[in-house]
Amino acid sequence: MSEPLMLFKKPTYPINSDLLDYLGRYDRISRVPIVYDDLLRFSGSISVFDKNDRDTLWIRVYYNEYERIEIDLTLKKIYSLLHSDGNVGIIKYLNVDSIDFCTFGNSQPFRIKVRNILNDNYTHFYVKKADASRVYGLELEHILSPDKINFLVYQDTLIEEHIMGIAGDVFIKSHLPMCNETEKSQIAKEFVKFNERSMIRLLGDMRAYNYVIIPIHDFDQVVFRIRAIDFDQQCYEGNFKVYRPQFFKENYPMVKLVKEKLENSSIDQYKHEERAVLAKRIISAENRIKRLMRIMRNDTISTEEHVAQLKKELYSYTHDLNFKKAKSMGDIMSAAFEFITRNFKNTNLFGV
C-alpha cells in the first residue's frame, strides 16, 4: 500500500499586520464584527442527512432565543456586505434558514443558509477560523483564476462566499458514467488544465471533494469546468506531489479518463495553454501580485523542513536556480510566478 501524500494535520497560521493592511487596501476587512467562536456557543444540534439518508457529517446547530436574534442580525449584515456592499436596506427581506457546523476537516466551518423571503431564492456562505494560508489561497484564486471570489476577514474570523458546483467525488461517482464520449474528452481536457493550474500556484490537496465540477450549457452541448473550493493547503506541504491533483487516489478516475481520451501531444498542448493564460493574468495583475508576494515572502506559513523539501523538488523539476535560493514559501511562490512569466515572455512555450 502506498504511503499517503499528507501525513499530518496542517496548523493554523495567524494573519500578520502586513497582510491585514493588504486586505484593508483591497476592501477585504469586514465592517461587521463577527467572531467564529461566538457561533460555537450553540445549545443543541441534530445531524444533517442527504437526500439518500446518508450522514453528511454536518450538524444543524441551535442557539437560545436571545443569542439567536443577535446572531441572525449579524449574519444578515455579513450577507449584505458580501453581496450588496453593505446595503442594510435588504436585511428586512432576509431570513437565516439554517446554521450548519462541519465536524471534520481542518477549517471546521459554519455554513449559513440565507433566504430572500420575497422570492425564496437562497444562497450560502461560510464562517471559518482565519488562517494566513487560506487567505493567500483565496486571494490568489481571485487574481489568477477565471472566477472571482468574495471573502472578508474580521480579526481571527474568515467569511467566504459559497462556490456552486457538483462536488468532484459526487460527480465522479454519479454523473461521469452518464456523460457521452465527447463530454468525457472535454472533462479530461479540463482536468489537465486544473492539474496544471493547481501545480503552478502551489494549491495543494485537490482531492475530489475539494473541488467542484460546473456544467455549462453552450448551444447544443454541455461543457464542464473544474474549480477549487478549499484553499487551506496553499503553500504548506513540502511534497511537490501534493500540489498535483493527478497523484491523489481519489482522482484516479479522472487520470484514467485523461489516458483514455487524450494523446500525449494534446496533453502537452493543454498544459501550455494553461501556463500561457496564467502568465497573462500574473502580468496583468503585476502590482497586486508583487505586493502580495512581498508580504508572503516574509511570512511564516509552513515549516523549515517543508520549505527545504519543496524548493529541492522544484529545482529538480525546473532546474531554475531561484527555487534553490528560496528561503520561505513566499520565495518559492514568487519563483514559480517568475519562472512562468519569464518563459512566456521569452518563447511562449512552457515545456519543462
Side-chain angles (χ1 to χ4, degrees), residues 48 60-63 68 72 75 95-101 110-115 123-125:
V48 177
R60 186 146 297 162
V61 299
Y62 301 95
Y63 302 84
R68 180 66 192 233
D72 276 14
L75 294 175
N95 187 70
V96 178
D97 277 10
S98 62
I99 302 174
D100 297 338
F101 178 62
F110 285 92
R111 181 177 62 200
I112 317 301
K113 180 180 178 181
V114 178
R115 177 172 54 90
T123 189
H124 297 87
F125 67 88

Side-chain angles (χ1 to χ4, degrees), residues 24-42:
R25 181 186 183 95
Y26 292 102
D27 201 24
R28 297 295 199 187
I29 301 296
S30 172
R31 301 191 297 271
V32 177
I34 181 170
V35 180
Y36 173 90
D37 288 347
D38 289 343
L39 296 181
L40 288 173
R41 298 201 302 266
F42 50 87

Side-chain angles (χ1 to χ4, degrees), residues 23-275:
L23 294 172
R25 181 186 183 95
Y26 292 102
D27 201 24
R28 297 295 199 187
I29 301 296
S30 172
R31 301 191 297 271
V32 177
I34 181 170
V35 180
Y36 173 90
D37 288 347
D38 289 343
L39 296 181
L40 288 173
R41 298 201 302 266
F42 50 87
S43 57
S45 67
I46 60 171
S47 296
V48 177
F49 295 87
D50 65 16
K51 62 182 180 181
N52 297 314
D53 288 330
R54 290 190 292 257
D55 191 345
T56 64
L57 302 182
W58 288 78
I59 58 174
R60 186 146 297 162
V61 299
Y62 301 95
Y63 302 84
N64 64 53
E65 185 176 355
Y66 172 76
E67 285 193 320
R68 180 66 192 233
I69 292 172
E70 183 180 358
I71 287 171
D72 276 14
L73 179 58
T74 300
L75 294 175
K76 291 174 187 178
K77 289 179 179 178
I78 289 295
Y79 173 92
S80 73
L81 271 180
L82 281 174
H83 296 285
S84 63
D85 199 30
N87 176 16
V88 295
I90 69 170
I91 288 178
K92 58 188 175 185
Y93 304 119
L94 302 177
N95 187 70
V96 178
D97 277 10
S98 62
I99 302 174
D100 297 338
F101 178 62
C102 183
T103 57
F104 67 95
N106 268 349
S107 58
Q108 293 192 313
F110 285 92
R111 181 177 62 200
I112 317 301
K113 180 180 178 181
V114 178
R115 177 172 54 90
N116 185 311
I117 62 176
L118 297 179
N119 52 36
D120 278 344
N121 287 329
Y122 66 87
T123 189
H124 297 87
F125 67 88
Y126 299 87
V127 180
K128 305 178 179 180
K129 272 283 190 183
D131 172 66
S133 300
R134 192 173 294 118
V135 169
Y136 286 120
L138 285 164
E139 186 64 12
L140 288 171
E141 174 75 4
H142 181 79
I143 298 170
L144 298 179
S145 83
D147 306 286
K148 303 304 179 185
I149 186 166
N150 289 326
F151 69 93
L152 296 167
V153 172
Y154 179 79
Q155 295 179 0
D156 63 348
T157 298
L158 174 67
I159 303 105
E160 288 181 32
E161 72 173 355
H162 174 65
I163 298 174
M164 292 186 290
I166 304 168
D169 55 340
V170 174
F171 184 89
I172 289 170
K173 181 179 179 180
S174 303
H175 297 263
L176 184 58
M178 308 301 293
C179 292
N180 62 40
E181 297 309 307
T182 301
E183 290 170 344
K184 288 180 179 178
S185 294
Q186 199 270 332
I187 292 166
K189 168 187 171 181
E190 286 303 307
F191 186 77
V192 169
K193 292 193 169 190
F194 177 69
N195 189 80
E196 196 72 5
R197 186 163 64 246
S198 300
M199 177 190 73
I200 291 168
R201 55 165 288 194
L202 298 180
L203 178 61
D205 195 19
M206 284 297 106
R207 285 175 278 190
Y209 48 78
N210 285 332
Y211 59 82
V212 293
I213 313 292
I214 306 170
I216 301 171
H217 292 265
D218 180 33
F219 294 106
D220 59 347
Q221 66 174 333
V222 179
V223 297
F224 299 86
R225 292 171 59 191
I226 303 178
R227 187 177 178 188
I229 59 171
D230 191 313
F231 305 93
D232 183 59
Q233 288 286 342
Q234 177 68 53
C235 296
Y236 172 71
E237 293 286 345
N239 186 347
F240 184 36
K241 288 183 178 180
V242 170
Y243 305 102
R244 306 173 73 183
Q246 69 190 75
F247 288 108
F248 286 99
K249 67 179 188 296
E250 293 86 350
N251 292 329
Y252 176 72
M254 301 293 264
V255 175
K256 184 171 179 285
L257 197 65
V258 170
K259 291 179 179 179
E260 292 173 350
K261 294 297 180 183
L262 302 179
E263 299 289 338
N264 288 338
S265 58
S266 295
I267 293 173
D268 289 340
Q269 174 194 338
Y270 298 141
K271 287 181 178 181
H272 296 162
E273 288 178 5
E274 191 61 27
R275 292 189 181 197

